[in-house]
Amino acid sequence: MKTNKKSVPLIRAHKADGENPPIAMVTAYDAPGARMADAAGVDIILVGDSLAMVVLGYEDTLSVTVNDMAYHTKAVSRTEPSALVVTDMPWLSYHTGVSDAVRNAAKLIRAGAEAVKLEGGANRVEVIKALADAEIPVMGHLGLTPQSVHAFGGFSVQAKTREAAKKLLDDALELEQAGVFSMVLEAVPQAVAAKATEILKIPTIGIGAGPHCDGQVLVFHDLLGLTFGHKPKFVRRYGALGEMGIKALEGYVHDVKMKSFPSPEEGYQVGQGELDDFRYGRN
Ligand code: KIV
């Protein structure tokens, strides 16, 4: 194992403070993405079910399956990153009973995930305990849980009322007690995320949850400018790879049309004798 390999116990113990900088987590879904993320020094690579939206072109995350997640986890884990590899359990892979949940999580672990992430609060305690019993580490996910898109009536900020904030904090404590090693807080008011971070011993990892979490996560395609259309307020773009890619492809199309690609140097040559054979069809 690499000496700088990130592990579940290391992350579990990592509360950001004066000595410990926040955890940096990013999604990746294939080998080049994982290599880039690891070379950049991220602590955790999340094979997120956002795969459905940013790679596979669906409107929401509900269409990806355990097999899809396992396939992409294999691609990421083949790169043997130093970062911890966590894979999302997709919708309906842990909602139909603990034995289904353990069997599905095991598929993801066998594909190379070192932990799984699942969405929900107190209603997931039994599943989390069963996974812990099967030695499968679990990351929690509260706030805007995209698999609840229809129940929420869209992708909107959560925990905005006093009751909803209290419910989120109660859920967070229940998840911690059930054994999660860290927790994503998505699209919740900064003050609520700060309170969760204060009361939990495990690290919180925010997305649209403000600066007081123990870590941050962004979607690979969002931060590199590879997503088109609406950009959520919490996304900071660190690159414009979409625009760069279109420019590069335009250059390619231009060169093909103008017959300036490929040049003779970009092809293979044969000796004159062989050429004569081709020309005159001699054996
Ligand atoms: O699937 C995903 O990308 C996620 C992150 C937004 C946390 O769950």
Side-chain angles (χ1 to χ4, degrees):
M1 190 173 288
K2 295 179 179 178
T3 50
N4 58 347
K5 176 68 191 163
K6 295 292 173 358
S7 65
V8 165
L10 268 178
I11 298 296
R12 186 198 302 278
H14 193 115
K15 293 292 279 183
D17 56 25
E19 279 166 35
N20 291 320
I23 295 163
M25 173 159 115
V26 73
T27 65
Y29 317 93
D30 57 19
R35 286 205 176 94
M36 287 165 71
D38 208 47
V42 305
D43 301 297
I44 305 175
I45 294 176
L46 173 67
V47 186
D49 60 355
S50 50
L51 165 75
M53 299 168 81
V54 298
V55 175
L56 303 179
Y58 292 111
E59 287 290 306
D60 54 45
T61 60
L62 305 181
S63 297
V64 283
T65 63
V66 174
N67 286 345
D68 293 330
M69 298 306 296
Y71 181 84
H72 286 269
T73 299
K74 282 182 195 165
V76 166
S77 93
R78 267 180 218 122
T79 69
E80 299 184 9
S82 297
L84 182 73
V85 177
V86 180
T87 295
D88 260 334
M89 295 196 70
W91 178 61
L92 232 52
S93 67
Y94 55 97
H95 305 70
T96 54
V98 291
S99 51
D100 283 353
V102 172
R103 194 172 333 105
N104 288 324
K107 269 196 185 173
L108 302 176
I109 297 293
R110 287 197 169 125
E114 294 158 290
V116 297
K117 174 164 83 59
L118 55 80
E119 300 180 1
N123 54 341
R124 304 291 174 231
V125 163
E126 290 316 309
V127 165
I128 292 163
K129 284 185 176 166
L131 293 173
D133 236 25
E135 315 300 343
I136 300 175
V138 182
M139 178 183 280
H141 186 156
L142 291 175
L144 169 52
T145 46
Q147 292 171 12
S148 316
V149 58
H150 296 310
F152 288 159
F155 296 109
S156 49
V157 180
Q158 300 296 306
K160 287 203 298 194
T161 63
R162 180 192 292 249
E163 296 73 38
K166 181 172 180 326
K167 168 91 172 75
L168 184 137
L169 296 173
D170 288 348
D171 277 344
L173 287 170
E174 291 228 32
L175 291 187
E176 180 174 66
Q177 268 222 309
V180 300
F181 71 95
S182 58
M183 192 178 304
V184 167
L185 299 175
E186 178 165 354
V188 298
Q190 303 189 15
V192 176
K195 190 70 191 166
T197 304
E198 183 193 319
I199 64 174
L200 293 173
K201 294 186 187 71
I202 55 164
T204 58
I205 303 177
I207 174 163
H212 306 295
C213 295
D214 298 298
Q216 298 292 329
V217 54
L218 279 177
V219 168
F220 184 90
H221 292 64
D222 283 341
L223 85 85
L224 290 179
L226 282 165
T227 37
F228 302 87
H230 172 69
K231 178 177 89 61
K233 176 178 175 176
F234 57 78
V235 169
R236 187 182 292 179
R237 286 224 160 113
Y238 288 87
L241 266 55
E243 283 158 36
M244 283 172 65
I246 292 171
K247 279 213 170 66
L249 289 161
E250 280 172 353
Y252 165 71
V253 170
H254 173 271
D255 288 357
V256 170
K257 303 280 180 203
M258 293 296 131
K259 298 192 172 183
S260 67
F261 174 81
S263 67
E265 293 72 33
E266 286 162 322
Y268 302 97
Q269 317 299 337
V270 291
Q272 191 57 48
E274 299 292 331
L275 206 55
D276 289 345
D277 287 351
F278 290 153
R279 280 199 189 125
Y280 301 112
R282 274 191 270 127
N283 289 324

